[in-house]
Amino acid sequence: MIVDVHAHCVPTGFREWLRQRGSSVGADVVESASGTAVRFPNGAETGTQFGWSELTDTETRISAMDVAGVDVQVLSGWIDLVGYEIDGRNAMEYAKAHNLALVEEQARHPQRFRSLGTVPLQEPARAVEVLTHAMTELGMAGVQLATTVRGRYLDEIEGLDAFWEAAEELGAFVLLHPLHPLGTIDLHRYFLENSVGRPAETSIAVAGLIMSGVLERFPRLVLCAVHGAGFVPFQLGRLDRSFYQVPRLAQQHLAQPPSASFANLYADSIVHDPDALSFLVKRMGADRVLLGTDYPFPMGDGDPVALIRSAPGLADDAIESILGGNAERIIN
């Protein structure tokens, strides 16, 4: 079975919920000449991809899966809609509505879809409650998290250990995805915001989780970083170097060098280059890399099976693990 762990969806039911109830929780659907977006309480708006049919239309999705040779997609929401700008109980209502709509989408084709919810990380205690509801009541496979919450990386947010503990205990598959890449830097030229900014954003988030000791304290946490875990696999030696050379800073929260915690991480296969994928597998192990597509976005991988099969030096059992064996093993 070939499983895609990184694919986005805006369920029809959630679109309808936002139009009918979004304003009551601080998520306004707004129309402009450029398209439809969602505006949150601080004035931030999603992109106009909110209106993309590919994010919503199930039959288009299944056709694309068939072309790509994918048997099962693990659906996660469009990252722009995590709703971290919403406060209090409204944040919980928003996340639960999103998750219920995504589960309803999964139920339309239960043999083809699994789903990952969203949680209000801006409210850590409520995030635990929503995670528990998603896993135990809705039967979701886990959650998707953004790399930052209101401009702060996850290692900078107080009170998240209870969330990591719950995710570990519940066996949640946690997909880490960039949101606003390097928001203080203008990367609009040359499409750098996506081609470089997104993997860089993931790299900073992953490094922060490693260096803050999250992956050391919660070694059974199933955390998968998208886009091949950014640049961290290729610069892991630099993190270890900092651990030994600048212990005053780099050893604050770690008993072992960063590479020891990195061994607990998973990554998807979206690196767009067979040689890079071979290196990623060599660095992480074939049991730690999972197929991803980033459907339906143009920087995704429309032919992921071919990429994996063309990576130099991968044994047949490694290929089968990456194509779906690992996902079947770790995703409940």
Side-chain angles (χ1 to χ4, degrees), residues 12 56-59 103-111 113:
T12 300
T56 299
D57 185 77
T58 305
E59 299 312 313
V103 166
E104 290 171 347
E105 183 68 27
Q106 172 187 330
R108 297 179 66 182
H109 293 275
Q111 302 305 313
F113 299 141

Side-chain angles (χ1 to χ4, degrees), residues 135-166:
M135 297 286 293
T136 62
E137 301 295 326
L138 299 181
M140 304 187 94
V143 290
Q144 175 183 236
L145 307 181
T147 46
T148 57
V149 178
R150 300 183 182 182
R152 300 175 67 204
Y153 288 94
L154 302 188
D155 65 288
E156 299 178 295
I157 299 171
E158 294 182 4
L160 277 189
D161 266 14
F163 174 80
W164 301 124
E165 182 178 11

Side-chain angles (χ1 to χ4, degrees), residues 23-250:
S23 293
S24 68
V25 299
D28 297 304
V29 177
V30 294
E31 306 284 352
S32 69
S34 57
T36 306
V38 177
R39 180 181 298 142
F40 294 107
N42 66 347
E45 291 188 9
T46 68
T48 55
Q49 293 94 331
F50 179 75
W52 280 10
S53 62
E54 294 91 342
L55 277 166
T56 299
D57 185 77
T58 305
E59 299 312 313
T60 299
R61 178 182 301 275
I62 288 179
S63 294
M65 290 169 62
D66 291 342
V67 169
V70 170
D71 298 307
V72 174
Q73 263 191 4
V74 183
L75 304 175
S76 52
W78 178 33
I79 197 67
D80 281 32
L81 290 175
V82 288
Y84 293 162
E85 298 84 357
I86 302 171
D87 290 322
R89 295 197 62 82
N90 285 343
M92 189 160 63
E93 181 181 350
Y94 175 93
K96 285 188 172 182
H98 173 276
N99 295 346
L100 177 60
L102 200 56
V103 166
E104 290 171 347
E105 183 68 27
Q106 172 187 330
R108 297 179 66 182
H109 293 275
Q111 302 305 313
R112 304 299 304 267
F113 299 141
R114 295 298 312 280
S115 57
L116 302 177
T118 191
V119 294
L121 283 185
Q122 70 278 24
E123 304 269 352
R126 290 190 168 102
V128 172
E129 182 176 342
V130 174
L131 169 69
T132 304
H133 178 263
M135 297 286 293
T136 62
E137 301 295 326
L138 299 181
M140 304 187 94
V143 290
Q144 175 183 236
L145 307 181
T147 46
T148 57
V149 178
R150 300 183 182 182
R152 300 175 67 204
Y153 288 94
L154 302 188
D155 65 288
E156 299 178 295
I157 299 171
E158 294 182 4
L160 277 189
D161 266 14
F163 174 80
W164 301 124
E165 182 178 11
E168 184 181 59
E169 182 65 26
L170 289 165
F173 180 75
V174 180
L175 191 71
L176 183 66
H177 196 289
L179 178 55
H180 298 304
L182 308 179
T184 60
I185 303 172
D186 185 359
L187 292 174
H188 288 93
R189 64 194 188 282
Y190 320 125
F191 202 56
L192 294 178
E193 181 273 338
N194 197 309
S195 62
V196 173
R198 288 189 179 273
E201 184 77 9
T202 298
S203 302
I204 296 169
V206 168
L209 291 173
I210 290 173
M211 302 304 288
S212 65
V214 168
L215 295 183
E216 188 173 88
R217 293 194 301 277
F218 305 102
R220 294 182 293 109
L221 179 67
V222 182
L223 180 69
C224 179
V226 301
H227 309 140
F231 305 127
V232 172
F234 310 96
Q235 292 289 341
L236 185 59
R238 193 170 182 86
L239 284 181
D240 275 359
R241 179 73 171 177
S242 73
F243 179 85
Y244 293 114
Q245 295 300 115
V246 194
R248 177 178 59 86
L249 297 176

